[in-house]
Amino acid sequence: PIFLVNVPCGIALLAYGLRVLPATRGVRRRLALVCVALMSATVLLLSVPLVFGHHADWAPWPRACLAASVPAEILLVLHLRRRHTDPLLDLRLLRMPGVALGLLSVTGQTMAWGGFLFTLTFFLQQSVGYSALQCGLTFAPYAVGFAATSLLTPGLPDRMQRRLLPGGLAVMALAYAGLGLLVRDGSWDPAVTIPLLLLTGAAFGLGYSPVVLRTVASMPPANAPDASGLFNTVNQLAFAFGI
Protein backbone atom coordinates (compact mmCIF):
# COMPACT_ATOMS: atom_id res chain seq x y z
CA PRO A 1 0.00 0.00 0.00
CA ILE A 2 2.88 2.46 0.51
CA PHE A 3 3.32 2.64 -3.26
CA LEU A 4 -0.19 4.07 -3.60
CA VAL A 5 1.25 7.45 -2.58
CA ASN A 6 2.44 7.67 -6.20
CA VAL A 7 -1.14 7.65 -7.53
CA PRO A 8 -2.33 11.08 -6.29
CA CYS A 9 1.12 12.54 -7.01
CA GLY A 10 0.95 11.19 -10.55
CA ILE A 11 -2.57 12.55 -11.11
CA ALA A 12 -1.54 15.99 -9.81
CA LEU A 13 1.56 16.07 -12.03
CA LEU A 14 -0.44 14.96 -15.07
CA ALA A 15 -2.98 17.75 -14.54
CA TYR A 16 -0.19 20.31 -14.01
CA GLY A 17 1.83 19.02 -16.95
CA LEU A 18 -1.09 19.39 -19.35
CA ARG A 19 -1.19 23.09 -18.47
CA VAL A 20 2.51 23.99 -18.56
CA LEU A 21 4.31 21.54 -20.87
CA PRO A 22 4.44 22.43 -24.58
CA ALA A 23 2.51 20.19 -26.95
CA THR A 24 4.77 18.14 -29.21
CA ARG A 25 4.11 15.63 -31.94
CA GLY A 26 6.67 12.83 -32.10
CA VAL A 27 7.36 10.32 -34.83
CA ARG A 28 5.00 7.34 -34.78
CA ARG A 29 6.88 4.13 -34.00
CA ARG A 30 5.86 0.52 -34.21
CA LEU A 31 6.43 -1.72 -31.20
CA ALA A 32 9.40 -3.96 -31.95
CA LEU A 33 8.11 -7.09 -30.24
CA VAL A 34 11.24 -9.22 -30.72
CA CYS A 35 13.40 -6.46 -29.20
CA VAL A 36 10.95 -6.06 -26.31
CA ALA A 37 11.03 -9.81 -25.63
CA LEU A 38 14.84 -10.00 -25.72
CA MET A 39 15.31 -6.91 -23.56
CA SER A 40 12.69 -8.04 -21.06
CA ALA A 41 14.33 -11.46 -20.82
CA THR A 42 17.77 -9.90 -20.29
CA VAL A 43 16.57 -7.53 -17.57
CA LEU A 44 14.60 -10.32 -15.89
CA LEU A 45 17.52 -12.75 -15.90
CA LEU A 46 19.73 -10.06 -14.35
CA SER A 47 17.40 -8.47 -11.80
CA VAL A 48 15.53 -11.49 -10.38
CA PRO A 49 18.64 -13.32 -9.09
CA LEU A 50 20.04 -10.03 -7.74
CA VAL A 51 16.84 -9.48 -5.75
CA PHE A 52 16.12 -13.05 -4.64
CA GLY A 53 19.52 -14.76 -4.81
CA HIS A 54 20.44 -13.95 -1.21
CA HIS A 55 17.07 -15.13 0.09
CA ALA A 56 17.54 -18.39 -1.82
CA ASP A 57 21.04 -18.77 -0.32
CA TRP A 58 22.38 -18.54 -3.88
CA ALA A 59 20.92 -21.86 -4.91
CA PRO A 60 21.65 -23.11 -8.47
CA TRP A 61 18.70 -21.30 -10.07
CA PRO A 62 19.84 -17.68 -9.44
CA ARG A 63 23.32 -18.59 -10.63
CA ALA A 64 21.81 -20.16 -13.74
CA CYS A 65 19.75 -17.01 -14.37
CA LEU A 66 22.84 -14.80 -14.17
CA ALA A 67 24.70 -17.14 -16.53
CA ALA A 68 21.77 -17.17 -18.96
CA SER A 69 21.66 -13.38 -19.00
CA VAL A 70 24.97 -13.32 -20.93
CA PRO A 71 23.71 -15.08 -24.09
CA ALA A 72 20.47 -13.10 -23.78
CA GLU A 73 22.47 -9.86 -23.83
CA ILE A 74 24.48 -11.06 -26.83
CA LEU A 75 21.31 -11.97 -28.75
CA LEU A 76 19.80 -8.58 -27.89
CA VAL A 77 22.84 -6.68 -29.15
CA LEU A 78 23.05 -8.77 -32.33
CA HIS A 79 19.37 -8.15 -32.99
CA LEU A 80 19.70 -4.42 -32.38
CA ARG A 81 22.71 -4.22 -34.72
CA ARG A 82 20.69 -5.58 -37.60
CA ARG A 83 19.24 -3.00 -39.95
CA HIS A 84 15.74 -2.30 -38.70
CA THR A 85 13.38 0.35 -39.95
CA ASP A 86 12.22 1.02 -36.41
CA PRO A 87 14.46 -0.51 -33.71
CA LEU A 88 13.54 -0.39 -30.05
CA LEU A 89 16.93 1.21 -29.31
CA ASP A 90 19.30 2.73 -31.87
CA LEU A 91 22.77 1.57 -30.78
CA ARG A 92 24.33 4.42 -32.75
CA LEU A 93 23.31 6.64 -29.83
CA LEU A 94 26.08 5.08 -27.76
CA ARG A 95 28.67 6.32 -30.27
CA MET A 96 27.56 9.94 -29.90
CA PRO A 97 30.01 12.16 -27.98
CA GLY A 98 29.47 11.90 -24.23
CA VAL A 99 26.56 9.42 -24.28
CA ALA A 100 28.49 6.31 -23.21
CA LEU A 101 30.43 8.31 -20.60
CA GLY A 102 27.18 9.82 -19.28
CA LEU A 103 25.61 6.37 -18.94
CA LEU A 104 28.70 5.08 -17.09
CA SER A 105 28.57 8.04 -14.71
CA VAL A 106 24.87 7.54 -14.01
CA THR A 107 25.47 3.82 -13.47
CA GLY A 108 28.19 4.44 -10.90
CA GLN A 109 26.19 7.09 -9.06
CA THR A 110 23.02 4.98 -8.95
CA MET A 111 24.92 1.91 -7.74
CA ALA A 112 26.35 3.97 -4.87
CA TRP A 113 22.92 5.45 -4.12
CA GLY A 114 21.18 2.05 -4.10
CA GLY A 115 23.75 0.47 -1.81
CA PHE A 116 23.70 3.52 0.48
CA LEU A 117 19.90 3.62 0.87
CA PHE A 118 19.64 -0.12 1.45
CA THR A 119 22.41 -0.49 4.01
CA LEU A 120 21.62 2.68 5.94
CA THR A 121 17.95 1.70 6.19
CA PHE A 122 18.90 -1.66 7.70
CA PHE A 123 21.37 0.05 10.04
CA LEU A 124 18.75 2.52 11.29
CA GLN A 125 16.16 -0.19 11.88
CA GLN A 126 18.33 -2.97 13.30
CA SER A 127 21.13 -1.11 15.09
CA VAL A 128 19.50 2.19 16.06
CA GLY A 129 15.99 0.76 16.51
CA TYR A 130 14.14 3.22 14.28
CA SER A 131 10.70 2.38 12.91
CA ALA A 132 10.02 2.44 9.16
CA LEU A 133 8.42 5.89 9.54
CA GLN A 134 11.42 7.24 11.45
CA CYS A 135 13.73 5.89 8.74
CA GLY A 136 11.73 7.62 6.06
CA LEU A 137 11.81 10.93 7.93
CA THR A 138 15.56 10.55 8.50
CA PHE A 139 16.08 10.38 4.73
CA ALA A 140 13.97 13.52 4.17
CA PRO A 141 16.98 15.93 4.35
CA TYR A 142 18.74 13.82 1.72
CA ALA A 143 15.72 14.17 -0.59
CA VAL A 144 15.44 17.91 0.11
CA GLY A 145 19.11 18.46 -0.73
CA PHE A 146 18.81 16.46 -3.95
CA ALA A 147 15.64 18.30 -5.04
CA ALA A 148 17.12 21.73 -4.32
CA THR A 149 20.30 21.29 -6.36
CA SER A 150 18.52 19.34 -9.14
CA LEU A 151 16.16 22.28 -9.66
CA LEU A 152 18.84 24.94 -9.24
CA THR A 153 21.57 23.52 -11.48
CA PRO A 154 19.80 23.70 -14.92
CA GLY A 155 19.43 27.49 -14.55
CA LEU A 156 23.15 28.06 -13.97
CA PRO A 157 25.58 29.05 -16.76
CA ASP A 158 27.05 26.15 -18.69
CA ARG A 159 30.59 26.85 -17.49
CA MET A 160 29.49 26.78 -13.85
CA GLN A 161 27.64 23.52 -14.39
CA ARG A 162 30.81 21.95 -15.78
CA ARG A 163 32.74 22.97 -12.67
CA LEU A 164 30.05 21.96 -10.19
CA LEU A 165 29.54 18.49 -11.65
CA PRO A 166 32.88 16.87 -10.66
CA GLY A 167 32.83 18.86 -7.42
CA GLY A 168 29.43 17.42 -6.56
CA LEU A 169 30.65 13.88 -7.22
CA ALA A 170 33.72 14.42 -5.03
CA VAL A 171 31.66 15.87 -2.16
CA MET A 172 29.16 13.01 -2.47
CA ALA A 173 31.94 10.41 -2.18
CA LEU A 174 33.44 12.18 0.84
CA ALA A 175 30.02 12.50 2.49
CA TYR A 176 29.31 8.78 2.02
CA ALA A 177 32.70 8.00 3.57
CA GLY A 178 32.05 10.43 6.42
CA LEU A 179 28.71 8.80 7.24
CA GLY A 180 30.37 5.40 7.20
CA LEU A 181 33.03 6.54 9.66
CA LEU A 182 30.49 8.22 11.95
CA VAL A 183 28.32 5.11 12.33
CA ARG A 184 31.04 2.45 12.31
CA ASP A 185 30.65 1.88 16.06
CA GLY A 186 26.86 1.52 15.79
CA SER A 187 26.02 5.02 17.08
CA TRP A 188 23.79 7.58 15.38
CA ASP A 189 23.97 11.26 16.29
CA PRO A 190 21.25 13.18 14.41
CA ALA A 191 22.90 16.53 15.15
CA VAL A 192 25.85 15.50 12.97
CA THR A 193 24.41 12.92 10.58
CA ILE A 194 21.28 14.83 9.48
CA PRO A 195 23.27 17.83 8.12
CA LEU A 196 25.62 15.36 6.46
CA LEU A 197 22.65 13.62 4.82
CA LEU A 198 21.47 17.02 3.53
CA LEU A 199 24.94 17.66 2.09
CA THR A 200 25.08 14.18 0.52
CA GLY A 201 21.73 14.67 -1.22
CA ALA A 202 22.71 18.12 -2.48
CA ALA A 203 26.01 16.76 -3.84
CA PHE A 204 24.15 13.88 -5.52
CA GLY A 205 21.86 16.39 -7.23
CA LEU A 206 24.88 18.36 -8.48
CA GLY A 207 26.54 15.23 -9.86
CA TYR A 208 23.56 13.30 -11.20
CA SER A 209 21.06 15.74 -12.71
CA PRO A 210 23.50 17.65 -14.97
CA VAL A 211 24.86 14.37 -16.38
CA VAL A 212 21.38 13.22 -17.37
CA LEU A 213 20.39 16.62 -18.76
CA ARG A 214 23.57 17.10 -20.77
CA THR A 215 23.57 13.54 -22.13
CA VAL A 216 19.92 13.58 -23.20
CA ALA A 217 20.25 17.09 -24.66
CA SER A 218 23.10 15.89 -26.89
CA MET A 219 20.81 13.39 -28.63
CA PRO A 220 18.57 14.23 -31.60
CA PRO A 221 14.94 14.96 -30.60
CA ALA A 222 13.78 11.95 -32.62
CA ASN A 223 15.75 9.71 -30.24
CA ALA A 224 14.19 11.14 -27.07
CA PRO A 225 12.17 7.93 -26.46
CA ASP A 226 15.36 5.85 -26.76
CA ALA A 227 17.21 8.12 -24.33
CA SER A 228 14.39 8.08 -21.80
CA GLY A 229 14.01 4.31 -21.86
CA LEU A 230 17.77 3.75 -21.81
CA PHE A 231 18.39 5.93 -18.76
CA ASN A 232 15.45 4.48 -16.83
CA THR A 233 16.53 0.89 -17.53
CA VAL A 234 20.15 1.62 -16.63
CA ASN A 235 19.02 3.30 -13.41
CA GLN A 236 16.92 0.33 -12.29
CA LEU A 237 19.64 -2.23 -13.04
CA ALA A 238 22.38 -0.11 -11.42
CA PHE A 239 20.25 0.29 -8.28
CA ALA A 240 19.87 -3.49 -8.02
CA PHE A 241 23.61 -4.01 -8.64
CA GLY A 242 24.43 -1.43 -5.98
CA ILE A 243 22.38 -3.26 -3.35
Side-chain angles (χ1 to χ4, degrees), residues 119-130 135 138-139 188:
T119 51
L120 187 57
T121 298
F122 268 92
F123 169 78
L124 290 173
Q125 290 187 343
Q126 296 183 358
S127 297
V128 183
Y130 277 9
C135 282
T138 299
F139 279 110
W188 179 260

Side-chain angles (χ1 to χ4, degrees), residues 35-36 99 200 203 214:
C35 288
V36 171
V99 172
T200 311
R214 297 176 73 87

Side-chain angles (χ1 to χ4, degrees), residues 36-220:
V36 171
L38 286 171
M39 189 169 289
S40 299
T42 302
V43 172
L44 197 69
L45 289 168
L46 275 172
S47 57
V48 169
L50 290 176
V51 174
F52 296 107
H54 178 72
H55 298 286
D57 198 24
W58 288 104
W61 72 263
R63 298 173 186 270
C65 286
L66 286 174
S69 70
V70 177
E73 291 169 29
I74 294 172
L75 285 173
L76 174 62
V77 172
L78 290 175
H79 187 76
L80 289 172
R81 290 183 66 178
R82 291 171 55 193
R83 294 294 180 184
H84 294 286
T85 56
D86 198 12
L88 181 67
L89 173 65
D90 191 345
L91 291 180
R92 290 175 297 181
L93 288 176
L94 300 177
R95 294 197 292 269
M96 292 182 179
V99 172
L101 186 61
L103 283 169
L104 283 173
S105 176
V106 166
T107 299
Q109 292 183 65
T110 310
M111 286 178 67
W113 179 46
F116 165 71
L117 288 181
F118 188 78
T119 51
L120 187 57
T121 298
F122 268 92
F123 169 78
L124 290 173
Q125 290 187 343
Q126 296 183 358
S127 297
V128 183
Y130 277 9
S131 66
L133 178 59
Q134 287 174 308
C135 282
L137 293 174
T138 299
F139 279 110
Y142 186 92
V144 170
F146 178 82
T149 52
S150 294
L151 294 172
L152 174 67
T153 306
L156 297 175
D158 186 70
R159 182 180 297 179
M160 187 177 293
Q161 288 188 38
R162 287 178 178 270
R163 292 177 177 175
L164 286 174
L165 199 156
L169 294 176
V171 171
M172 180 175 64
L174 290 172
Y176 281 148
L179 281 167
L181 291 171
L182 285 170
V183 303
R184 68 188 186 279
D185 59 352
S187 62
W188 179 260
D189 184 3
V192 180
T193 53
I194 295 301
L196 197 51
L197 280 171
L198 178 66
L199 176 65
T200 311
F204 185 26
L206 285 175
Y208 176 85
S209 300
V211 171
V212 176
L213 288 172
R214 297 176 73 87
T215 307
V216 173
S218 68
M219 300 182 185

